[in-house]
Amino acid sequence: MNNDHLMYLRTAIAVAHRARTKGNHPFGALLVDEDGRVLLEAENTVNTEHDCTGHAETNLVRLASRQFDRTHLERCTLYTSTEPCAMCSGAIHWSGIGRVVYALSEEGLYAMTSDGTNPDNETMSLPCREVFARCIRPVEVIGPLIEDEARAAHEGFWL
């Protein structure tokens, strides 16, 4: 496991905790360039913006697409506290971002939230690798990593 991956994932998890303290769902994401510079970070804003598409990764892709061209984004890595959902995976694909590294798996999140008692979380049981496998352009995927650390951001939230 790459130490840089751990550092960036822990930052994404901290962003997820920050989103939670603001009343949003506990998800966070970073965009890192090929030289290891953090270019952007974004948190989930579903509740505060009243926007069901306000996932951390989608928010990050919106920011990144406005600031960087596709050629640059192909060399970047999106680090995220939790595996991207199908919507976010589509946005990542269309942005041109070349790699995704995530901490908590969709399966791990699903196990925590899928009892049907919380209408705020309609997690899809669809791994990002399956979405990316159907795309024309390859997206490298690394994860899950440090799931226990990422899970902590969600504990007690989805009750």
Side-chain angles (χ1 to χ4, degrees):
M1 188 180 321
N2 181 321
N3 284 333
D4 289 340
H5 290 335
L6 295 178
M7 177 182 66
Y8 297 129
L9 286 175
R10 286 181 175 128
T11 302
I13 293 166
V15 173
H17 282 286
R18 187 173 70 219
R20 182 176 176 166
T21 64
K22 293 178 181 176
N24 288 300
H25 301 166
F27 300 97
L30 307 174
L31 185 68
V32 177
D33 72 10
E34 63 190 328
D35 296 322
R37 289 182 299 240
V38 176
L39 302 175
L40 296 168
E41 63 178 48
E43 59 193 58
N44 181 288
T45 57
V46 166
N47 291 337
T48 56
E49 297 293 324
H50 306 287
D51 177 1
C52 65
T53 67
H55 293 194
E57 300 89 345
T58 304
N59 288 339
L60 187 79
V61 166
R62 281 189 198 107
L63 294 169
S65 296
R66 290 178 189 139
Q67 295 183 38
F68 305 104
D69 65 30
R70 189 176 177 96
T71 304
H72 183 75
L73 291 174
E74 288 171 353
R75 297 185 312 271
C76 290
T77 301
L78 187 152
Y79 287 89
T80 182
S81 61
T82 306
E83 182 175 358
C85 71
M87 175 184 71
C88 293
S89 296
I92 292 163
H93 165 72
W94 287 309
S95 74
I97 292 170
R99 181 187 307 140
V100 171
V101 180
Y102 66 88
L104 179 62
S105 67
E106 184 71 19
E107 183 178 299
L109 178 64
Y110 195 76
M112 293 177 73
T113 64
S114 65
D115 67 358
T117 61
N118 190 325
D120 285 341
N121 189 40
E122 297 177 328
T123 299
M124 292 182 225
S125 182
L126 181 60
C128 69
R129 282 181 175 88
E130 289 185 34
V131 176
F132 293 135
R134 302 212 178 240
C135 298
I136 294 170
R137 181 185 63 80
V139 176
E140 181 184 358
V141 178
I142 299 170
L145 305 171
I146 61 171
E147 285 195 278
D148 289 340
E149 291 180 45
R151 192 176 290 112
H154 295 274
E155 287 175 351
F157 183 83
W158 301 104
L159 301 176

